Amino acid sequence: MRMNGQNYRTIWPDSDGRRVHVIDQTRLPHHFETRALDNHLVVAAAIKDMVVRGAPLIGVTGAYGLALALSHDPSDLSLHKAHQTLLETRPTAVNLRWGLDRLRRIISTLPMEQRASAAFDEAGRIAEEDIASCEAIGEHGAQLIKDRAKNLRRPINILTHCNAGWLAAVDWGTALAPIYKAHRLGVDLHVWVDETRPRNQGASLTACELLGENVPHTVIVDNAGGHLMQHGLVDLVIVGSDRTTRTGDVCNKIGTYLKALAAYDNGVPFYAALPSSTIDWQMRDGVREITIEERDPREVTHISGRQSDGARVEIELTPAGSRARNFGFDVTPARLVTGIITERGVSAAQEEALINLFPEYA
Ligand code: MRU
């Protein structure tokens, strides 16, 4: 997608398979910088420190990380250790395990001399498949937006939380893909962007993406959504997901559940858009079974941004003696989810409906 008038993907390998390049998302929106990652430990740090983030993107980055490890040492021990190190970086998004397991399954049967190049090829295939899935999600979701916008004599207002756009995937994104597609089809739309404390992925990344694609949007504080819904200012909510159970429980960035509750109370349709790589077919009860990442409390007690002279600063928000905790995600139970937009179409948030779309997981 476009940023500063140029088309980008979030991740791309060198042609000789020695390095993988990514956009440093900790520097956005004020600085556009790329980073070259040349071994799996650097990749693991980039995932942990959220240089790259978003469920589909960490799945693809993890796969490239494993490929880099194999290019240094193709042994079974190296494969095992790198898989472990990368998997431990972030616990909630299932795409990471999905990407790493897929690569390991294929590579472990190959002779040593073929492993590194086969791993790079497979990581590339995962990236291409992600783009195709996100684009298909965009097409299915755009239809839904068009239908909903049909009888409105004003822009359709869509609320989104966190960043589930192309920066969270390889291209297009999940929740934002339907918005980009509908916008390109000429649907008159406007996006409410939750700032998404504590790391502000909405204010910094979603706003930056929407600006790059000239999509009308307004950034709001996280707690404004319910108020807007009560006043008829939200027609549709679309969020992404980091892990969705086979029964349709949706785990996404902290605060998503509260948006779903407000949407339910106000009769606003609430959709999650996700590729099937985000569905954990082994899980049925999201609230009980999904591990919720807890990050450094400093992300809550401090905030960073750009000063008027352009310098980046971090400031303290809370009294030094106050304790803070930083829960990264929450689970929205399926009963609050109107539908799930996948690469194969829109499904009810129910096991039977999801299995109808993905019968191979019956
Ligand atoms: O902590 P992050 O920034 O990785 O969290 C990202 C989200 O919660 C996204 O909504 C989710 O990964 C869906 S991505 C298309």
Side-chain angles (χ1 to χ4, degrees):
M1 304 295 285
R2 279 190 301 262
M3 190 172 281
N4 304 325
Q6 247 184 282
N7 271 312
Y8 290 99
R9 287 181 175 184
T10 52
I11 186 164
W12 61 98
D14 267 353
S15 53
D16 61 6
R18 284 176 193 275
R19 297 187 306 175
V20 175
H21 301 267
V22 296
I23 297 171
D24 184 345
Q25 302 193 21
T26 63
R27 304 287 290 151
L28 291 170
H30 304 303
H31 300 279
F32 183 90
E33 286 173 20
T34 61
R35 298 239 324 241
L37 314 175
D38 61 1
N39 68 66
H40 77 279
L41 296 174
V42 177
V43 171
I47 297 174
K48 207 174 177 59
D49 299 339
M50 294 174 68
V51 169
V52 290
R53 28 67 55 202
L57 179 56
I58 62 178
V60 173
T61 311
Y64 273 119
L66 213 47
L68 284 169
L70 293 166
S71 72
H72 292 281
D73 174 358
S75 67
D76 284 347
L77 184 62
S78 150
L79 178 61
H80 172 73
K81 277 185 163 170
H83 182 286
Q84 194 70 16
T85 303
L86 290 159
L87 188 61
E88 280 165 6
T89 52
R90 295 198 71 192
T92 301
V94 73
N95 304 60
L96 183 58
R97 189 189 73 199
W98 175 87
L100 292 170
D101 286 357
R102 172 168 156 175
L103 214 74
R104 183 173 60 181
R105 211 171 29 249
I106 289 164
I107 298 312
S108 53
T109 61
L110 296 177
M112 302 291 155
E113 65 279 10
Q114 290 176 17
R115 287 184 170 186
S117 72
F120 267 99
D121 289 349
E122 189 60 20
R125 267 191 291 278
I126 294 175
E128 293 303 328
E129 282 173 27
D130 186 66
I131 295 171
S133 290
C134 287
E135 185 163 11
I137 287 170
E139 271 149 21
H140 296 302
Q143 190 54 49
L144 203 145
I145 295 174
K146 259 172 70 183
D147 292 347
R148 190 94 199 150
K150 205 161 49 202
N151 297 322
L152 300 176
R153 292 222 172 81
R154 54 165 176 79
I156 178 167
N157 287 306
I158 305 167
L159 182 140
T160 192
H161 190 67
C162 195
N163 172 260
W166 69 273
L167 288 168
V170 182
D171 209 349
W172 288 106
T174 62
L176 296 192
I179 291 170
Y180 291 135
K181 286 278 180 188
H183 183 246
R184 288 184 184 187
L185 289 171
V187 177
D188 192 8
L189 57 83
H190 165 262
V191 184
W192 293 112
V193 179
D194 283 350
E195 61 175 346
T196 319
R197 280 279 294 146
R199 289 188 66 102
N200 298 305
Q201 292 96 323
S204 57
L205 305 177
T206 299
C208 182
E209 278 196 23
L210 293 173
L211 208 57
E213 286 287 322
N214 290 316
V215 176
H217 64 281
T218 307
V219 180
I220 50 174
V221 296
D222 287 328
N223 295 326
H227 165 75
L228 295 174
M229 290 182 210
Q230 281 177 327
H231 290 271
L233 294 170
V234 181
D235 300 299
L236 193 59
V237 179
I238 311 182
V239 298
S241 173
D242 289 80
R243 195 182 288 242
T244 296
T245 63
R246 64 186 289 133
T247 53
D249 292 343
V250 172
C251 180
N252 191 48
K253 182 52 57 192
I254 193 81
T256 302
Y257 172 47
L258 293 179
K259 296 299 163 311
L261 282 173
Y264 188 77
D265 193 43
N266 290 283
V268 175
F270 178 97
Y271 285 89
L274 49 108
S276 52
S277 54
T278 301
I279 302 176
D280 188 334
W281 297 100
Q282 291 163 19
M283 284 192 182
R284 291 178 173 278
D285 183 338
V287 175
R288 292 223 162 92
E289 292 178 85
I290 297 176
T291 303
I292 300 295
E293 175 180 17
E294 196 168 343
R295 296 183 62 84
D296 190 339
R298 193 176 174 89
E299 293 178 353
V300 176
T301 58
H302 291 66
I303 195 163
S304 59
R306 183 171 65 167
Q307 261 183 180
S308 53
D309 64 0
R312 185 186 163 89
V313 286
E314 186 190 66
I315 56 161
E316 193 171 10
L317 292 172
T318 53
S322 294
R323 200 168 160 244
R325 288 186 69 179
N326 187 7
F327 303 97
F329 299 91
D330 60 26
V331 175
T332 299
R335 67 189 151 77
L336 300 177
V337 179
T338 310
I340 296 181
I341 310 168
T342 74
E343 70 270 27
R344 294 197 193 160
V346 182
S347 162
Q350 286 166 359
E351 181 166 2
E352 209 183 307
L354 280 168
I355 290 295
N356 269 341
L357 279 187
F358 298 95
E360 63 271 38
Y361 294 101

